[in-house]
Amino acid sequence: MKFTAQQIADALQGKVEGNAEAEVSNLSKIEEGSPGTLSFLANPKYTSYIYTTQASIVIVNEDFEAEKDIQATLIRVKDAYGSFATLLEMYQQAKGKKEGISEKAHISPSATIEEGAYIGEFVSIGDHVFVGKQAQIHPNCSIGANCKIGEESILFAGVKVYDDCLIGNECTLHAGVVIGADGFGFAPQDDNNYRKVPQIGNVIIEDRVEIGANTCIDRATLGSTIIRRGAKIDNLIQIAHNVEIGENTVIAAQTGISGSTKIGKNCMIGGQVGIIGHLNIADEVKIAAQSGIGKSLNTAGDIVEGSPAFSVRDFQRSYIHFRRFDRIVKRINDLEHKVKDQ
Amino acid sequence: MKFTAQQIADALQGKVEGNAEAEVSNLSKIEEGSPGTLSFLANPKYTSYIYTTQASIVIVNEDFEAEKDIQATLIRVKDAYGSFATLLEMYQQAKGKKEGISEKAHISPSATIEEGAYIGEFVSIGDHVFVGKQAQIHPNCSIGANCKIGEESILFAGVKVYDDCLIGNECTLHAGVVIGADGFGFAPQDDNNYRKVPQIGNVIIEDRVEIGANTCIDRATLGSTIIRRGAKIDNLIQIAHNVEIGENTVIAAQTGISGSTKIGKNCMIGGQVGIIGHLNIADEVKIAAQSGIGKSLNTAGDIVEGSPAFSVRDFQRSYIHFRRFDRIVKRINDLEHKVKDQ
Amino acid sequence: MKFTAQQIADALQGKVEGNAEAEVSNLSKIEEGSPGTLSFLANPKYTSYIYTTQASIVIVNEDFEAEKDIQATLIRVKDAYGSFATLLEMYQQAKGKKEGISEKAHISPSATIEEGAYIGEFVSIGDHVFVGKQAQIHPNCSIGANCKIGEESILFAGVKVYDDCLIGNECTLHAGVVIGADGFGFAPQDDNNYRKVPQIGNVIIEDRVEIGANTCIDRATLGSTIIRRGAKIDNLIQIAHNVEIGENTVIAAQTGISGSTKIGKNCMIGGQVGIIGHLNIADEVKIAAQSGIGKSLNTAGDIVEGSPAFSVRDFQRSYIHFRRFDRIVKRINDLEHKVKDQ
């Protein structure tokens, strides 16, 4: 199927600059664009490619100013990245959705599977589970008793959900995710053995949450571990028992959050961050990658870095000195020499 | 089912303070306590909640001293956390245990499944495997040839055990755990290609070990990777080939231990710690979260922090200066100025 | 089956030193060697064991110089580690290979399974998948539509491959690996909600790649995430959308690489390293464990350490001062005192 620049501009409420009849049938990255494809420019790091790309059409922000000639037809829009996302969505929807219940799945007679749901091969669904309309459960998933999988949520292959956990609507859980394993709770004994503290709570995941591949969210000791509406959680993340993640908070891969810590809404947490237990992190806090958080961050909008972390500005200043530490020590040597001489 | 404060105190060998007839039917966290529930106070961080909790009964340590009036009935015990764990155990045991072998499992004719074991749907059990009494293997697990799963051990959904690995009694392996994948061993060649070194050893997990979700324990090149009795290993941990973890050692999430390192008993290792290969870590060593261990720690009871790590006290002292590095450099500037002037 | 030292030396083109008739029937580690086993010495850290080992035969490098008497028969070879790897290979090949297609697998009628392939129980294979000759797909794997699994590649239990991903020949994917989950791409909206950016690209894994247990390699937003020929990737690693890993690059466990970063060939990347997005890492770069890479490394052969990372030599020098920071500050105190006094 082919579309002209004008057709696409109309769909995106954009303005064509160049050949309005230029045609495309596929999407491409600007640095790999080939004739007949449509690309986009949003990240300024990639600006140089717009002058050399072979893509036939490029979507740009309306305030983009070209510094050289551009061969491609441009479509100017308010938000190039958002507009490109719209096209990607259209492309993906054209692929269609899976439906139907595999005969090779195992579904408890007491489970409820609503209309339009997809249950793949070798999926095991426990007693009293509820699977909402249009939900998709891919092969080899395992859903414990009393769970709820909300409408239009997708569980990719091999997701494991322990008993009693609740997953909202329009969530995406990627392959290998584990929801509801026991929190890491052991009481030390006098003989150095540990005694397991049973974990009888659950996990609640609200609507529109996305959880990356092989991420683990432990059940609460009591009560619930909670992931609030719209949170986005990347791959290989550890979320311990009784943690709460606020609305629309974004967490990058391999971060770990210890037990009972509460994280506010609209936070941005980098990759490989560690946060100890029983802390409060205010709304809109930003934490740089690989930071270690040992104290609550009570001020909304704080930006921190380091392990242990402190203000990002102070950290970066200290780190510049750290890099030059040898020269600093030489200055002290010189001073000692001079002061001795006097 | 309801219980009075007196009944619970009797069960826990505790002393009631307040209304001995107060009744509860559920458990709660102290900060979320509601009428009719029983809670506990062990972590001093939560002390303030005891004056406002709606829980009807709170279990406290016998030396707890109230600073204000408390509405709840108290039960004083020697170890509040341990007593609460006892109640959680009673609560969980009341739920009962899974039993029986699913017809949808695949079990090699040469495997032995002992009495009272549970084998879930889509479990694959290889040749000559032995599954002990009351062991539980949840859906979608895969057990290679010649493995042993000890009595009363639980493998949650989607655990994968490679050929020849041995798991003791009363172990818990959480969902997605991988036992016995190949160690990361490659011999560099002159042409920059690597040649795989076959990993023909196995993994031995002794009794009462708990292993968190999606944790990986690699098989030995030769001999065995060994996890000793009572060790507790959290989620998303990497344990490389030929490692040995001592008795009752506790390791927090996302830590990685490189090949052939031996870790003593009763150690406590924080989250996101990295330990290089071929080291020895003495008994009772404590390692702070996010530390990097590059040398053996030969002194029992050492406490270290940093990457690379050194004595926690020295690290924290150094880090205080690091945080104020800018001011320290200003002091050097001032000194240079003064010394020049003189 | 028993072999004499002379037979083994002939197979390895080595030279016997000691009893050429010494017999062995198994392999062992030098520190655990028992009579009737063959061991090797390659890592100098283990040299002391050669004087006490009970192994009957030890393979050593031809330039090894004994400092005391050795009881074992030695076989001197050019490359002791490589020769031992040869013996391990012979040992492993003797175990034989799995073959055949389980009746309990689910295979789309449009899939192609070539001769000699093994498909285990509860494997799900989607439409138009191609599985090459002698490929092995262990139980509970899930292969999406349009994937290719090359000849002689092995997918251990519970590997999940999303639609459209291509895996080359002679690859090994360990248990729990996830190939092709969505990249972590979300466009921020004015109301703080995020909008998912569909990820319509794929993952391409070239020949002879090994990928460790529970590692995740995300699909590209557009185009392909690419792992080049011969790369070795350890357990629990995160490789984000549109990343490219060069030929024969080796990455240790728990490292994370953010979106669109390109890594050169023959690099060595330590464990728990984090690399931010949109960077270039030159060929043959070495990155120390736990480092954080925030800028491109454009010089081939660079060696860096730290978070953020810089030259390993400078880092180690700075870190020595950091460890002694307290003494350095005391020197400044003294200087201030003296300068004041003068």
Side-chain angles (χ1 to χ4, degrees):
Chain A
M1 229 162 32
K2 286 191 175 184
F3 298 91
T4 66
Q6 190 60 55
Q7 286 171 323
I8 293 163
D10 290 350
L12 301 174
Q13 298 180 292
K15 237 175 74 182
V16 176
E17 193 168 308
N19 175 14
E21 298 309 312
E23 280 184 334
V24 292
S25 61
N26 209 340
L27 306 171
S28 67
K29 289 188 287 181
I30 192 161
E31 69 273 31
E32 297 175 353
S34 54
T37 66
L38 174 146
S39 191
F40 78 111
L41 174 64
N43 185 336
K45 283 197 193 179
Y46 289 81
T47 301
S48 68
Y49 290 108
I50 199 167
Y51 307 111
T52 56
T53 188
Q54 297 296 307
S56 302
I57 306 177
V58 181
I59 296 174
V60 296
N61 286 319
E62 57 192 7
D63 60 359
F64 168 74
E65 291 181 25
E67 291 175 351
K68 301 186 211 166
D69 283 356
I70 294 173
Q71 215 187 332
T73 294
L74 301 186
I75 298 177
R76 291 182 178 276
V77 296
K78 212 172 155 186
D79 170 11
Y81 189 48
S83 292
F84 195 70
T86 301
L87 293 177
L88 288 169
E89 282 166 10
M90 289 163 59
Y91 187 96
Q92 196 164 55
Q93 278 159 17
K95 285 185 68 176
K97 241 182 164 175
K98 293 205 159 198
E99 267 199 50
I101 299 176
S102 167
E103 287 179 8
K104 292 171 182 158
H106 172 82
I107 299 174
S108 160
S110 63
T112 305
I113 314 291
E114 296 260 292
E115 215 179 316
Y118 160 65
I119 312 281
E121 291 77 33
F122 316 124
V123 167
S124 163
I125 293 191
D127 297 341
H128 310 293
V129 167
F130 175 92
V131 177
K133 284 179 199 163
Q134 316 278 345
Q136 297 190 41
I137 302 183
H138 285 248
N140 294 99
C141 286
S142 178
I143 315 292
N146 312 313
C147 291
K148 191 200 148 194
I149 311 294
E151 293 179 16
E152 295 187 51
S153 282
I154 305 178
L155 276 61
F156 282 98
V159 169
K160 298 87 163 176
V161 185
Y162 283 56
D163 293 354
D164 307 316
C165 295
L166 309 178
I167 294 167
N169 300 327
E170 296 176 61
C171 290
T172 302
L173 274 61
H174 281 285
V177 160
V178 177
I179 302 293
D182 286 349
F184 197 61
F186 301 93
Q189 307 296 292
D190 290 340
D191 61 357
N192 287 321
N193 287 313
Y194 286 88
R195 175 179 174 190
K196 182 175 173 74
V197 179
Q199 307 285 310
I200 68 170
N202 73 345
V203 176
I204 298 177
I205 295 176
E206 295 187 354
D207 299 344
R208 309 200 61 223
V209 168
E210 180 144 346
I211 299 177
N214 282 345
T215 279
C216 302
I217 303 180
D218 283 352
R219 71 195 309 105
T221 310
L222 279 174
S224 301
T225 303
I226 303 176
I227 314 295
R228 297 269 177 225
R229 188 184 161 77
K232 306 299 177 195
I233 295 174
D234 203 352
N235 296 350
L236 291 165
I237 284 173
Q238 152 71 352
I239 295 184
H241 48 155
N242 292 95
V243 164
E244 184 176 329
I245 308 287
E247 268 183 40
N248 292 323
T249 279
V250 177
I251 306 179
Q254 296 176 317
T255 281
I257 301 174
S258 305
S260 300
T261 283
K262 311 287 179 220
I263 295 183
K265 56 187 177 185
N266 309 322
C267 293
M268 298 186 74
I269 300 180
Q272 299 181 335
V273 166
I275 306 183
I276 72 159
H278 299 277
L279 301 187
N280 280 289
I281 308 295
D283 297 344
E284 287 157 45
V285 164
K286 290 191 172 76
I287 302 176
Q290 295 192 324
S291 294
I293 309 298
K295 291 186 183 167
S296 287
L297 298 170
N298 296 310
T299 310
D302 258 6
I303 309 179
V304 299
E305 183 169 4
S307 175
F310 51 101
S311 145
V312 69
R313 213 176 134 185
D314 291 346
F315 175 84
Q316 290 180 354
R317 212 177 270 157
S318 285
Y319 202 79
I320 288 168
H321 296 310
F322 173 76
R323 293 178 68 136
R324 298 174 187 158
F325 213 150
D326 208 48
R327 273 187 275 167
I328 289 168
V329 171
K330 286 208 180 86
R331 288 166 63 191
I332 296 173
N333 294 345
D334 284 354
L335 278 166
E336 286 173 335
H337 206 71
K338 280 188 189 162
V339 167
K340 205 184 194 178
D341 289 352
Q342 288 178 333
Chain B
M1 232 163 29
K2 286 191 176 183
F3 299 92
T4 66
Q6 191 59 56
Q7 287 171 323
I8 293 163
D10 291 348
L12 300 174
Q13 298 180 289
K15 238 175 71 182
V16 176
E17 191 168 310
N19 176 13
E21 299 308 311
E23 280 185 334
V24 294
S25 60
N26 209 339
L27 306 171
S28 67
K29 288 187 287 181
I30 192 161
E31 68 273 30
E32 295 174 355
S34 54
T37 65
L38 175 146
S39 191
F40 78 112
L41 174 64
N43 184 337
K45 282 196 192 181
Y46 289 82
T47 301
S48 67
Y49 290 109
I50 200 167
Y51 307 110
T52 55
T53 187
Q54 297 295 306
S56 302
I57 306 177
V58 181
I59 296 174
V60 296
N61 287 319
E62 55 191 8
D63 60 357
F64 169 73
E65 293 180 24
E67 292 175 351
K68 301 186 213 167
D69 283 355
I70 294 173
Q71 217 187 330
T73 293
L74 301 187
I75 298 177
R76 291 182 178 276
V77 295
K78 210 172 153 188
D79 171 11
Y81 190 47
S83 292
F84 195 69
T86 301
L87 294 177
L88 288 169
E89 281 166 11
M90 290 162 58
Y91 187 96
Q92 197 165 54
Q93 277 158 17
K95 286 185 69 177
K97 241 183 163 174
K98 294 206 158 197
E99 267 199 49
I101 299 176
S102 168
E103 288 180 8
K104 291 170 183 160
H106 172 84
I107 299 173
S108 160
S110 62
T112 305
I113 314 291
E114 297 261 293
E115 217 179 314
Y118 161 65
I119 312 281
E121 290 77 33
F122 316 125
V123 167
S124 163
I125 293 191
D127 296 342
H128 310 293
V129 167
F130 175 90
V131 177
K133 284 178 198 164
Q134 315 279 345
Q136 297 190 41
I137 303 183
H138 285 249
N140 294 99
C141 285
S142 178
I143 316 292
N146 311 314
C147 291
K148 191 202 148 193
I149 312 294
E151 292 180 17
E152 295 186 52
S153 283
I154 304 178
L155 277 61
F156 282 99
V159 169
K160 296 87 164 177
V161 185
Y162 283 56
D163 292 354
D164 306 316
C165 294
L166 309 178
I167 294 168
N169 300 328
E170 296 177 60
C171 290
T172 302
L173 275 60
H174 281 285
V177 160
V178 177
I179 302 294
D182 286 349
F184 197 62
F186 300 94
Q189 305 296 293
D190 290 341
D191 60 358
N192 288 319
N193 288 312
Y194 286 89
R195 174 179 175 191
K196 182 175 175 72
V197 179
Q199 306 286 309
I200 68 169
N202 74 344
V203 176
I204 297 176
I205 296 176
E206 295 187 352
D207 298 345
R208 309 199 62 225
V209 168
E210 179 144 346
I211 300 178
N214 282 345
T215 279
C216 303
I217 302 180
D218 283 352
R219 73 195 306 106
T221 310
L222 277 175
S224 301
T225 304
I226 302 176
I227 314 294
R228 297 268 177 225
R229 188 183 161 75
K232 307 299 177 193
I233 295 174
D234 202 353
N235 297 349
L236 291 165
I237 284 173
Q238 152 71 353
I239 295 184
H241 49 155
N242 292 95
V243 164
E244 184 176 330
I245 307 287
E247 269 184 38
N248 292 323
T249 279
V250 177
I251 306 179
Q254 295 176 318
T255 281
I257 301 174
S258 305
S260 300
T261 283
K262 311 287 179 221
I263 296 183
K265 55 186 177 186
N266 310 321
C267 293
M268 299 186 72
I269 301 180
Q272 298 180 336
V273 166
I275 306 184
I276 72 160
H278 299 278
L279 301 187
N280 280 289
I281 309 294
D283 296 345
E284 287 157 45
V285 164
K286 291 190 171 76
I287 303 176
Q290 295 192 326
S291 294
I293 310 298
K295 290 185 183 165
S296 287
L297 298 170
N298 296 311
T299 310
D302 258 5
I303 309 181
V304 299
E305 182 169 5
S307 175
F310 51 102
S311 146
V312 69
R313 211 174 136 188
D314 291 345
F315 175 84
Q316 289 179 355
R317 211 176 270 156
S318 285
Y319 202 78
I320 287 169
H321 297 311
F322 174 75
R323 292 179 69 136
R324 298 175 187 156
F325 213 151
D326 209 47
R327 274 187 275 166
I328 290 167
V329 171
K330 286 206 180 86
R331 287 167 64 192
I332 297 172
N333 293 345
D334 284 354
L335 278 166
E336 286 173 335
H337 207 70
K338 280 188 191 163
V339 168
K340 204 184 194 176
D341 288 354
Q342 289 178 329
Chain C
M1 232 162 30
K2 287 191 175 182
F3 299 91
T4 66
Q6 191 60 56
Q7 286 171 325
I8 293 163
D10 290 350
L12 300 174
Q13 299 180 291
K15 237 174 72 182
V16 176
E17 192 169 310
N19 176 14
E21 298 309 312
E23 279 186 333
V24 293
S25 60
N26 209 341
L27 306 171
S28 67
K29 289 188 286 180
I30 191 160
E31 68 273 30
E32 297 174 353
S34 54
T37 65
L38 174 146
S39 192
F40 78 111
L41 174 65
N43 186 337
K45 284 197 193 180
Y46 289 81
T47 300
S48 68
Y49 290 108
I50 199 165
Y51 306 111
T52 56
T53 188
Q54 297 295 308
S56 303
I57 307 177
V58 181
I59 296 174
V60 297
N61 286 319
E62 55 192 7
D63 59 358
F64 168 73
E65 293 181 25
E67 293 175 350
K68 300 186 214 167
D69 282 355
I70 296 172
Q71 215 186 333
T73 294
L74 302 186
I75 298 177
R76 293 183 177 274
V77 295
K78 210 172 155 186
D79 170 11
Y81 190 47
S83 292
F84 196 69
T86 300
L87 294 177
L88 289 169
E89 281 166 10
M90 289 162 58
Y91 187 96
Q92 196 165 55
Q93 277 159 17
K95 285 185 69 177
K97 241 182 164 175
K98 294 204 159 198
E99 266 199 50
I101 300 178
S102 167
E103 287 180 7
K104 292 171 182 159
H106 173 84
I107 299 173
S108 160
S110 62
T112 305
I113 314 291
E114 296 260 294
E115 217 179 313
Y118 161 64
I119 312 281
E121 291 77 32
F122 317 125
V123 167
S124 163
I125 293 192
D127 297 341
H128 309 295
V129 167
F130 175 91
V131 177
K133 284 179 199 163
Q134 315 277 348
Q136 298 190 41
I137 303 183
H138 284 248
N140 294 100
C141 286
S142 178
I143 315 292
N146 311 313
C147 291
K148 191 202 149 193
I149 311 293
E151 292 179 18
E152 296 187 50
S153 283
I154 304 178
L155 277 59
F156 283 99
V159 168
K160 298 86 166 177
V161 185
Y162 283 56
D163 293 353
D164 306 316
C165 294
L166 309 178
I167 294 167
N169 300 328
E170 296 176 58
C171 290
T172 302
L173 275 59
H174 281 285
V177 160
V178 177
I179 303 293
D182 286 349
F184 198 61
F186 300 93
Q189 306 296 292
D190 291 341
D191 61 358
N192 288 321
N193 288 313
Y194 285 88
R195 174 180 176 190
K196 183 175 173 72
V197 179
Q199 306 286 309
I200 68 170
N202 73 345
V203 176
I204 297 175
I205 295 175
E206 295 187 353
D207 298 345
R208 309 200 61 225
V209 168
E210 179 144 347
I211 299 177
N214 282 344
T215 280
C216 302
I217 302 180
D218 284 352
R219 71 196 307 106
T221 311
L222 277 175
S224 301
T225 304
I226 301 175
I227 314 294
R228 297 270 177 223
R229 186 184 164 76
K232 307 299 177 195
I233 295 174
D234 202 353
N235 297 350
L236 290 165
I237 284 173
Q238 152 70 355
I239 295 184
H241 49 155
N242 292 96
V243 164
E244 185 175 328
I245 308 288
E247 268 182 40
N248 292 323
T249 279
V250 176
I251 306 179
Q254 295 176 318
T255 282
I257 301 174
S258 306
S260 300
T261 283
K262 310 287 179 223
I263 295 184
K265 57 186 176 186
N266 309 322
C267 293
M268 298 186 74
I269 301 180
Q272 298 181 336
V273 166
I275 306 183
I276 72 160
H278 298 278
L279 300 187
N280 280 289
I281 309 294
D283 296 345
E284 286 157 46
V285 163
K286 290 191 172 74
I287 302 176
Q290 295 192 325
S291 294
I293 309 298
K295 291 185 182 168
S296 288
L297 298 170
N298 295 312
T299 310
D302 259 4
I303 309 180
V304 299
E305 183 169 4
S307 175
F310 52 102
S311 146
V312 70
R313 213 175 134 186
D314 292 346
F315 175 84
Q316 290 179 354
R317 210 177 271 157
S318 284
Y319 202 78
I320 288 169
H321 297 310
F322 173 75
R323 292 178 69 136
R324 299 174 186 158
F325 212 151
D326 209 46
R327 273 187 276 167
I328 290 168
V329 170
K330 285 207 181 86
R331 288 166 64 191
I332 297 173
N333 293 344
D334 284 354
L335 278 166
E336 286 173 336
H337 207 70
K338 282 188 190 162
V339 167
K340 206 184 194 177
D341 288 352
Q342 289 178 331

